[in-house]
Amino acid sequence: MKKRVGIIGFRGMVGSVLVERMRAEGDFELIEPVFLSTSQSGGQAPLGNEPIRSALSLEELLKLDVIVSCQGGDYTTQMHPELRKQGYSGYFIDAASTLRMAEGATIILDPVNRAQIDSALANGHKDFIGGNCTVSLMLMAIHGLYQRGLVEWVSSMTYQAASGAGAKNMRELLLQLGFIAERTSSVVANAAESALALDRAAANALADAALPQAEFGAPLALNLLPWIDKAVGEGATREEWKGHAESNKILGNDPEIPVDGICVRVGAMRCHSQGLTIKLKRDVPLDQIEGILREQNAWVKLVENERQATLAELSPKAVSGSLTVAIGRLKKLRMGPHYLGAFTVGDQLLWGAAEPLRRMLRILLER
Ligand code: NAP
């Protein structure tokens, strides 16, 4: 009999990408899908004849074999403990960060930690949580180095897309671009205009109180924002804290391997990029490192460290909408032969969010 799988949050950004991927991979043919929403129950589901069910109804949730939630942390905080209290013994696969560090919950990124997932399943664990987008993308790009015991520490300086902040923020970035284009159009139209006049027009547009910025709290277009999420002390943000905490949990490192850096929002749409400095435990020749990275999983793409390949293949534009995780600009840094520099780009809605959830569901179905 097909498993009854509830999909909560299918209207949101991560949920929409998840449903798109499940359609592409034929996952719906293997399950009895139930679509749930906190606001649209009774409406037409995107698939099948059943109406949309209420995601707030414990009675509906208790009928499900597997729950896949892309609804958000508030929903998980409200519903998960109540569900378990009511004796729900099905699997809970979640995109939200709420349960990631909880004991008994596994952060899922199966190309990296399949053994950990299998062991959690064998031990009867039921909560499987997608990792932070930046962390998952970093590990997809370099886990081979970790698995060979080569990593002493990693510093990741991120360039994170607007989509990581939600659909409203993506729209706001486009609104900002439109506003700036409109305010600068007469100066731009005159090819004889001086550089200073162009700069002044752009600066005036950015300083204009009418520039839409309710979501980001500042202009992102023609700008960048070196602060993501809230402060957690010691000068760090929560996004930066996740880099260390989640990567170590996913890899099961003991002792932990330090990961730190500064997380920055930039005006890309849906791909996160990271400039990495990796301190290696020993001096490994670059060609060996390239071999390790190439072989670590089927989705990583090594981009040659030269101009044309880099501009064509190592950018948000090149990677957006694909499962490819690109890594390039590989070089030994001036600090010494143990210091490796690299740049990586991945679609944060695919490997960064929806894909590990979809693959976890497949792992459950194949058991
Ligand atoms: P989202 O787009 O804001 O969607 C969340 C919910 O908002 C939807 O399921 C929907 O719930 C409701 N909603 C209200 N108005 C809507 C509208 N006009 N269109 C669509 N949905 C609307 O959230 P998200 O970015 O997908 O994130 C979901 C979870 O995944 C969060 O916990 C987030 O932290 C996590 N996550 C996000 C990313 C990312 O890149 N965004 C990456 C990794 C993990 P109802 O149907 O119940 O109204």
Side-chain angles (χ1 to χ4, degrees), residues 21-77:
R21 283 289 301 139
M22 288 178 70
R23 278 186 204 268
E25 296 292 336
D27 297 338
F28 286 115
E29 287 146 36
L30 308 175
I31 61 172
E32 185 192 328
V34 180
F35 293 89
L36 303 101
S37 162
T38 61
S39 67
Q40 308 289 312
S41 59
Q44 172 73 49
L47 210 82
N49 299 323
E50 277 199 48
I52 296 171
R53 308 282 175 187
S54 169
L56 298 172
S57 158
L58 283 170
E59 194 190 332
E60 292 292 351
L61 297 173
L62 288 165
K63 291 184 211 157
L64 301 167
D65 298 303
V66 182
I67 293 172
V68 184
S69 174
C70 307
Q71 185 64 21
D74 291 346
Y75 178 81
T76 303
T77 304

Side-chain angles (χ1 to χ4, degrees), residues 87-115:
Y88 180 66
S89 61
Y91 292 97
F92 194 84
I93 305 176
D94 195 2
S97 62
T98 316
L99 298 171
R100 279 183 203 145
M101 301 307 292
E103 212 174 316
T106 305
I107 306 182
I108 45 177
L109 188 63
D110 70 278
V112 175
N113 69 345
R114 177 65 196 255

